[in-house]
Each structure stands twice: as C-alpha cells, then as structure tokens.
C-alpha cells in the first residue's frame, strides 16, 4: 500500500495540468508539423510525426523534472506558456520554431543545490533515453544509412522511418541544447551541482548529435 501511495503521489495530476499538457502538446505538434510539412497535404503526416517524435520529447522532458521533484517531496506541476505556444505556431510559418511550451513549476521552502541539480538533469537524461530508443528502432529496421538524411528529406520517407529519425534527431539536440550552462537552462543548474555529471551528459548528447 505504501508503494502504491508513493506512485500515486509521484504521478498525481490535476485538471489544470492535463489541460496545459494537451495545449502544449497540440501547439508544438502543429508548429513542427508546419515546419516539416508546410500547409500542404504533407502537413497531416508531419503533424502525426511531430506529435509522437517531437511533442513527446518536449513533454516527457518537463514531466521528468516533475517526477524527480516529487521524489524530493516538492510540489510540482507542469504549466504551459500560452503566449510562447502562440508565438511558436506563428513563427513556424516563417520556417522555424521557438520551442518553449512551458515548464514545471516547483515549490520548495529552501534551496538545495543537489536536489535542484538532479531535478534539472532529469529532463536532458529523458531526451537521451528517448534518442537511444528511437535510434534502436532505426537500427532494428536496418535504417542506419538513413541517419545521413537531412531533416527536410525525412518527411518524404515512409512514416515507419520518419518517426524514429525525427525522434532521434530532435531528442539528441534537445538534450545537448538544454545543457548550455547559462541563465535558466538545465545545464547551468547541473553544472553548479556536479561538473562530472554535467560533462557526462554533454559528452553523451554531443556524441548522439555529431558522431552518429
């Protein structure tokens, strides 16, 4: 029963959080769908690809922060940034996405550098795990040669290849991008907590982005 209560607490949510998750997921999927497929018939295919490969990457990144924060008994819930979601969709018509769907709001009575570092590391680590999962699917499908494909050409591939390819590329970049050690990026908090952990995450994500 105790384990059940712990799991229930870790994964508990609210109607507000569910609404914000769905808004963020939908908007990000539309924005990347427009960038990848344009406003043509390919948009519908691109929207499905984005919802699975991109939307999951962003949202699981944020929810990983939430779960680790809950482990430390902090109040934590995801909240969407509605203005940024609107801007993401608008900017997608110009060929790029400003991806800031929202963030996990954490309430803590006192600051703990270690807890803050581990909570911050959870997001990029989730993206690395998703990247490796998508890469494994690509290799199982004997599609290793397709790793050389450009993002713009992937949309024309069969969806069985395009989903894991986009998922691999986007999640690898998300992991590396979020490890920039400045401002409010995850990397700044991880670097402040543990420079060895920071270096390992950067090396792994950089390997996924630049070597594979």
């Amino acid at each position: 029963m105790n384990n059940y209560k712990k799991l229930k607490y870790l994964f508990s949510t609210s109607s507000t959080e569910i609404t914000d998750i769905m808004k963020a997921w939908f908007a990000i999927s539309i924005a990347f769908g427009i960038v990848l497929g344009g406003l043509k018939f390919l948009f519908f295919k691109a929207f499905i690809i984005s919802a699975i490969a991109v939307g999951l990457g962003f949202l699981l990144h944020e929810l990983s922060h939430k779960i680790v924060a809950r482990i430390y008994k902090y109040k934590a819930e995801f909240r969407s940034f509605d203005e940024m979601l609107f801007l993401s969709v608008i900017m997608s018509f110009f060929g790029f996405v400003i991806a800031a769907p929202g963030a996990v709001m954490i309430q803590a009575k006192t600051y703990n550098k270690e807890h803050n570092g581990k909570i911050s590391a959870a997001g990029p680590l989730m993206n690395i795990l998703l990247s490796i999962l998508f890469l494994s699917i690509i290799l199982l499908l004997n599609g290793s040669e397709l790793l050389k494909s450009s993002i713009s050409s992937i949309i024309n591939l069969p969806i069985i290849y395009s989903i894991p390819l986009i998922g691999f590329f986007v999640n690898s970049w998300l992991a590396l991008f979020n490890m920039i050690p400045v401002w409010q990026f995850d990397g700044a908090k991880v670097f402040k907590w543990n420079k060895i952990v920071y270096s390992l995450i950067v090396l792994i994500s950089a390997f996924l982005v630049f070597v594979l």
Side-chain angles (χ1 to χ4, degrees):
M1 182 60 73
N2 286 335
N3 288 334
Y4 171 76
K5 288 182 177 179
K6 288 179 181 178
L7 287 174
K8 185 177 179 181
Y9 169 72
L10 289 177
F11 293 98
S12 63
T13 186
S14 66
S15 58
T16 301
E17 182 176 47
I18 292 172
T19 299
D20 279 19
I21 287 173
M22 296 308 295
K23 282 192 297 185
W25 197 345
F26 186 67
I28 285 294
S29 300
I30 286 180
F32 274 90
I34 292 172
V35 169
L36 291 173
L39 293 175
K40 301 176 183 178
F41 180 74
L42 273 178
F43 168 76
F44 298 101
K45 179 182 179 182
F47 175 82
I48 293 172
I49 294 170
S50 299
I52 298 172
V54 181
L56 276 178
F58 277 99
L59 294 175
L60 289 180
H61 172 106
E62 295 298 337
L63 293 178
S64 295
H65 292 318
K66 171 187 171 176
I67 297 303
V68 177
R70 288 280 182 90
I71 290 174
Y72 290 118
K73 303 294 192 300
Y74 299 144
K75 292 181 179 180
E77 276 204 358
F78 177 83
R79 291 292 181 266
S80 62
F81 298 155
D82 292 349
E83 294 83 0
M84 293 303 297
L85 292 176
F86 178 74
L87 183 60
S88 295
V89 175
I90 295 300
M91 296 310 296
S92 68
F93 287 96
F94 297 94
F96 62 93
V97 178
I98 300 175
V104 173
M105 303 300 163
I106 300 172
Q107 295 181 22
K109 294 181 179 179
T110 58
Y111 174 79
N112 185 299
K113 183 171 68 174
E114 180 182 353
H115 291 180
N116 197 33
K118 290 180 178 179
I119 291 168
S120 299
L125 285 173
M126 172 56 72
N127 291 127
I128 287 174
L129 288 175
L130 287 171
S131 178
I132 292 172
L133 173 63
F134 283 122
L135 177 61
S136 300
I137 294 172
I138 294 168
L139 296 178
L140 285 173
L141 293 171
N142 293 319
S144 57
E145 285 297 315
L146 295 175
L147 289 171
K148 301 174 183 177
S149 304
S150 64
I151 293 291
S152 59
S153 67
I154 291 175
I155 191 65
N156 296 308
L157 297 172
I159 200 166
I160 194 173
Y161 291 116
S162 54
I163 287 177
L165 281 168
I166 292 292
F168 169 69
F169 289 135
V170 169
N171 280 283
S172 299
W173 272 108
L174 274 177
L176 185 60
F177 178 76
N178 276 280
M179 292 308 292
I180 296 174
V182 296
W183 196 44
Q184 293 298 314
F185 283 96
D186 294 329
K189 302 162 192 175
V190 178
F191 186 83
K192 188 175 182 180
W193 160 55
N194 191 309
K195 292 176 178 58
I196 294 176
V197 173
Y198 173 85
S199 299
L200 286 173
I201 296 175
V202 170
L203 285 173
I204 294 171
S205 55
F207 177 80
L208 292 170
V209 169
F210 297 113
V211 178
L212 293 180

